[in-house]
Amino acid sequence: MGAQLDYPTMKEVFRRFAEANPHPEGELEHVNAFTLLVAVALSAQATDVGVNKATRALWPVADTPQKMLALGEEGLTHHIKSIGLYRTKAKNVIALSRLLVERFDGQVPSSRAALVSLPGVGRKTANVVLNMGWGHPAQAVDTHIFRVGNRSGICPGKDVDAVERAIEDNVPVEFQRHAHHWLILHGRYICTARKPRCADCLIRDLCRYEEKTA
């Protein structure tokens, strides 16, 4: 785990990210806050591509908690059987849909505490929904962000909670809203796990990774 970049360097890092991609977006397809919540829950130990392929036929028939309950667990299983752990995920999605109807009038809540009270929804999923669904500067730390944060010095930490705090504490406030999207995309396409594309990296000169590739 490397040292945290200083504030001027951090500001330049995110200035470059913002200049290159002013309006970054997540890659999970959804049509509203409920389908976003379900998509993120389904994406655990699965790829966004795989989830999108499964949900393109699901959203037209189940884009609200009420419609999801009407579809039922078996109906949902039919749609998502190509996704890993689909049976457990189907149970969780039906259960969270029922709780949304019973406790939240069918609406996706905008508080982290309420979101994590739902079956199959952890802190990372809640943060994605808060950020993408409600516009909150919440930071959803995945393996990409953890790797990029520690390699570069942008947001080092020994675990995902520490990396999340490092983003919240050190990323300039004007970049907080999109910080996790920039970092995820950077890790997914440039700062990859095995062969990082350092030659194509727009923050190569600012990054503290000592084993940069040619």
Side-chain angles (χ1 to χ4, degrees):
M1 185 174 73
Q4 172 75 51
L5 296 179
D6 60 36
Y7 182 80
T9 305
M10 287 284 285
K11 192 160 187 175
E12 177 60 16
V13 164
F14 284 93
R15 186 199 67 76
R16 293 184 192 181
F17 283 148
E19 182 178 60
N21 186 2
H23 304 289
E25 296 181 354
E27 297 183 327
L28 283 172
E29 296 172 5
H30 60 283
V31 297
N32 55 31
F34 172 70
T35 56
L36 172 63
L37 173 62
V38 173
V40 180
L42 293 177
S43 72
Q45 299 182 52
T47 66
D48 289 0
V49 171
V51 172
N52 290 340
K53 185 176 180 180
T55 57
R56 282 177 193 138
L58 175 62
W59 300 151
V61 297
D63 62 352
T64 68
Q66 295 88 344
K67 291 179 183 177
M68 190 66 75
L69 290 174
L71 181 64
E73 188 175 322
E74 285 305 310
L76 174 57
T77 297
H78 173 74
H79 281 277
I80 67 169
K81 60 187 176 182
S82 62
I83 301 174
L85 306 175
Y86 68 94
R87 292 197 181 279
T88 297
K89 291 175 180 179
K91 290 180 185 296
N92 285 337
V93 169
I94 294 300
L96 73 82
S97 298
R98 184 172 293 110
L99 286 181
L100 287 175
V101 171
E102 293 175 353
R103 297 183 185 176
F104 301 103
D105 197 29
Q107 303 300 309
V108 175
S110 59
S111 86
R112 184 182 289 115
L115 285 167
V116 298
S117 73
L118 299 171
V121 178
R123 185 179 180 90
K124 188 182 94 170
T125 296
N127 282 350
V128 173
V129 174
L130 289 173
N131 184 284
M132 294 177 61
W134 296 107
H136 295 183
Q139 309 301 332
V141 177
D142 68 353
T143 56
H144 295 301
I145 294 181
F146 187 81
R147 179 177 66 255
V148 172
N150 279 291
R151 270 184 181 171
S152 65
I154 293 173
C155 45
K158 67 183 188 306
D159 53 40
V160 294
D161 291 338
V163 170
E164 181 181 332
R165 287 193 299 273
I167 298 174
E168 293 174 344
D169 292 346
N170 297 294
V171 174
V173 66
E174 64 265 36
F175 301 117
Q176 287 275 340
R177 172 70 174 82
H178 295 308
H180 93 277
H181 278 131
W182 285 316
L183 293 170
I184 286 173
L185 293 171
H186 193 65
R188 185 171 289 167
Y189 297 110
I190 301 296
C191 194
T192 51
R194 293 186 179 179
K195 293 182 179 180
R197 295 170 51 200
C198 297
D200 300 320
C201 178
L202 54 81
I203 61 166
R204 178 187 174 100
D205 58 315
L206 306 175
C207 170
R208 289 186 172 166
Y209 185 47
E210 294 181 356
E211 300 174 29
K212 291 185 176 73
T213 58

